[in-house]
Amino acid sequence: MQTAKGKYIFGTVKVGKRGQIVIPKAAREVFDIKPGDTLLLLGDEAQGIAIVKNELFMEFAKGILKAQERLEEE
């Protein structure tokens, strides 16, 4: 189900006996999650859990580092 543009509700998932969940197919398709991808699990006790593709997070982190380097050079 899609709500506002770019915002989604994919339904619910159950946590299995081993603590695993299945990411719904629609979510995997929207976020291009493929078998073998590495996902980063972030948590905030007040806001909950977020799952991010590791490669996207690394690109974000590298961008921050490059911006910091540019600021230090000035």
Side-chain angles (χ1 to χ4, degrees), residues 14-22 41:
K14 288 192 178 190
V15 178
K17 292 178 184 178
R18 295 177 36 194
Q20 298 172 321
I21 63 168
V22 173
L41 187 67

Side-chain angles (χ1 to χ4, degrees), residues 43-58:
D44 179 294
E45 289 184 3
Q47 296 185 25
I49 295 172
I51 300 172
V52 182
K53 285 183 85 171
N54 191 58
E55 63 191 46
L56 296 176
F57 181 79
M58 293 305 291

